[in-house]
Amino acid sequence: VPDEHRVLCRVTWVLWCGTERGNTSSLKARSVARFGHGAFPQGLRQMRASLRRADCLVEVHDLHIPLSGRNPVLQEVLGIRPHLLVLNKMDLADPRQQVLEQLRQQGCSHVVFTDCQRDSNVKKIVPLVAKLVSSSPRYHRAESTEYSIMVIGVPNVGKSSLINSLRRLHLKKGKATAVGGEPGVTRVVLTRIQVCETPLVYLVDTPGVLPPKLADMETGMKLALCGAIRDHLVGEDIMADYLLYVLNRQQQFGYMERYGLPEASDNIRHVLKYVAVTLGKMQKVKVLTGTGNVNMMMLNYSAAAYEFLRAFRAGHLGRLTLD
Ligand SMILES: Nc1nc2c(ncn2[C@@H]2O[C@H](COP(=O)(O)OP(=O)(O)OP(=O)(O)O)[C@@H](O)[C@H]2O)c(=O)[nH]1
C-alpha cells in the first residue's frame, strides 16, 4: 500500500472511532472528534433558534481550504438568508483563481478575503452586509433599522477574531469574544455583540460545527491541519506526514531551507530528524544495559512533528492552499 494511502486509512479510522484508542462506546468522545468540543448537537440547536432573528449569515472559512470542509448542514440553512462567505487567514494562503469560480458555482457569489489579525479587508464586511440585507426581504423585521448577523463556520477558522476585528475597526473597542489556536474555544452561542454604530450592527458568535460526515479522508486531514479537529485525535505524526506530502506535491520546498535539508524528501522521519536537530528537540531516554541503566539523549520526533505543524500554521513553510 502506498504511504499516503496508509496515512489516509489511519485518519479515516481515527475519525470514525472518535479517539485514538478506538473507544467506540463513548458517544461523547465520538461527537467531540467529529464536531468539536461542545459544538454539536446542542450548539446547532441553539444556532437554529437564533437564526430566526438573523438578517444575514456570515460564514467564515479558512482560506487554506476554501472548498473543503464547509458544513453542508449549515449550507442547507444558508439557503434562506443573504449569505456572505469570508475566507479568512489570507496572510497564510494563496488560493488559485479557479477556486473563486468553483465557489461561484456552489452558489457563493459574495466572497471577501480577510486577515483578521491585521484587520485587512474587514472594513468591507459591514457595507456589504448592509447592501445584501437591504436588497432582500426582512419580513417581520422590515421596520427595524438594526442589522443582526450570525457568524458561522467550522472550528478555528477565525470567527471570534473576525468579531473582535470588526469591533476594533468600527467601535475602537477591545476583545468581546475569546480567541484561541485550538478548536472549540467558543462553546456556547453568545449573546449579541455590537460591532458597529452606524448602521447599528449586532453579531452572534457561534461554536464551530464540523460536518456530521466528512466527504473523504483528505478532507479530514485538511481540516485537521487547519486546526478544526484536535491534533491528538488524528496524531501529529500522521498530520506531519500528510503536510509533507502536500508540500512536495505543490512544490513548496521552503522546509528544506528552514530545516537545512540538502534536498527535498518524501520520508517524514528523515525530515523530522532535521527539524528536531535544527530546533534542538531532544529527549532523555532510559536504556537498560547489562551493567545498569543509562540515560541517553535521543531526537524527539513527536515534538518535531508538532513544531512542523506549528510552522505551517504560522505561515513559515510558505503560503499554501490545501485545496
Ligand atoms: N494568521 C492568521 N491567524 C488568524 C487569523 N484569524 C484568526 N487567526 C488565528 O486562528 C486561531 C483561531 O481563531 P478564533 O477566532 O479563536 O477561531 P474560531 O473560529 O472562533 O474558533 P472556535 O471558537 O474554535 O470555533 C487563533 O489562533 C487566531 O489567532 C488570520 O486572519 N490570520
Side-chain angles (χ1 to χ4, degrees):
V1 182
D3 259 359
E4 70 260 28
H5 287 181
R6 240 182 292 141
V7 167
L8 295 178
C9 287
R10 176 162 160 205
V11 169
T12 321
W13 185 85
V14 169
L15 290 172
W16 239 98
C17 296
T19 68
E20 261 183 305
R21 272 159 277 132
N23 179 5
T24 48
S25 65
S26 164
L27 184 64
K28 190 165 172 232
R30 272 188 286 161
S31 100
V32 164
R34 290 182 188 176
F35 310 117
H37 275 277
F40 191 84
Q42 195 194 3
L44 198 57
R45 268 207 304 273
Q46 284 175 305
M47 280 165 66
R48 283 206 173 121
S50 309
L51 203 63
R52 265 178 263 132
R53 282 170 276 130
D55 297 307
C56 180
L57 284 169
V58 171
E59 182 189 358
V60 186
H61 204 55
D62 192 324
L63 187 55
H64 283 118
I65 44 171
L67 302 171
S68 297
R70 289 180 54 222
N71 194 325
V73 179
L74 299 181
Q75 282 179 40
E76 259 168 46
V77 176
L78 298 180
I80 56 165
R81 301 275 173 200
H83 167 237
L84 174 65
L85 176 63
V86 173
L87 289 173
N88 189 36
K89 308 194 184 181
M90 72 175 197
D91 53 316
L92 301 179
D94 194 11
R96 283 166 289 122
Q97 196 48 46
Q98 305 101 289
V99 164
L100 269 181
E101 193 43 49
Q102 272 172 279
L103 284 170
R104 223 169 278 129
Q105 282 167 11
Q106 290 176 7
C108 297
S109 35
H110 306 288
V111 182
V112 178
F113 298 95
T114 57
D115 171 356
C116 290
Q117 281 192 335
R118 289 168 197 80
D119 300 336
S120 311
N121 279 351
V122 176
K123 264 216 151 126
K124 292 183 182 171
I125 292 174
V126 167
L128 192 51
V129 164
K131 197 174 132 203
L132 289 175
V133 173
S134 56
S135 59
S136 66
R138 292 178 86 197
Y139 308 108
H140 60 290
R141 297 175 50 78
E143 302 302 311
S144 174
T145 51
E146 65 179 50
Y147 299 120
S148 182
I149 299 170
M150 177 170 270
V151 179
I152 58 170
V154 300
N156 211 44
V157 289
K159 298 177 292 299
S160 304
S161 303
L162 174 70
I163 293 176
N164 292 333
S165 171
L166 283 165
R167 278 172 65 85
R168 260 195 311 273
L169 288 169
H170 295 287
L171 297 177
K172 309 275 178 274
K173 291 243 170 84
K175 277 185 190 172
T177 179
V179 168
E182 293 234 306
V185 172
T186 310
R187 291 186 180 215
V188 288
V189 178
L190 301 177
T191 46
R192 297 192 316 157
I193 302 164
Q194 189 188 344
V195 293
C196 188
E197 193 69 56
T198 5
L200 191 52
V201 179
Y202 290 94
L203 284 184
V204 180
D205 194 7
T206 63
V209 180
L210 277 173
K213 210 171 163 191
L214 295 174
D216 51 50
M217 292 165 275
E218 281 213 68
T219 303
M221 282 308 300
K222 289 173 187 176
L223 283 164
L225 280 183
C226 293
I229 300 169
R230 284 174 185 261
D231 293 348
H232 70 273
L233 293 174
V234 179
E236 282 96 346
D237 50 341
I238 294 288
M239 289 163 64
D241 199 0
Y242 180 74
L243 174 59
L244 180 64
Y245 160 70
V246 176
L247 287 168
N248 286 333
R249 193 179 55 184
Q250 297 197 11
Q251 309 207 344
Q252 291 262 6
F253 299 123
Y255 70 88
M256 281 166 50
E257 195 185 334
R258 186 171 173 83
Y259 301 115
L261 269 88
E263 56 187 3
S265 166
D266 59 3
N267 180 337
I268 188 62
R269 208 165 162 85
H270 179 68
V271 173
L272 290 182
K273 189 165 84 184
Y274 278 86
V275 176
V277 169
T278 309
L279 302 177
K281 295 290 169 193
M282 311 292 282
Q283 61 184 343
K284 218 184 253 176
V285 179
K286 204 176 259 180
V287 179
L288 303 178
T289 68
T291 53
N293 298 344
V294 181
N295 282 328
M296 281 179 67
M297 293 305 283
M298 309 262 286
L299 294 177
N300 187 340
Y301 284 95
S302 305
Y306 173 73
E307 291 301 332
F308 193 48
L309 295 176
R310 263 177 37 127
F312 159 70
R313 288 172 181 160
H316 298 320
L317 302 181
R319 295 177 73 204
L320 192 69
T321 298
L322 304 173
D323 283 331

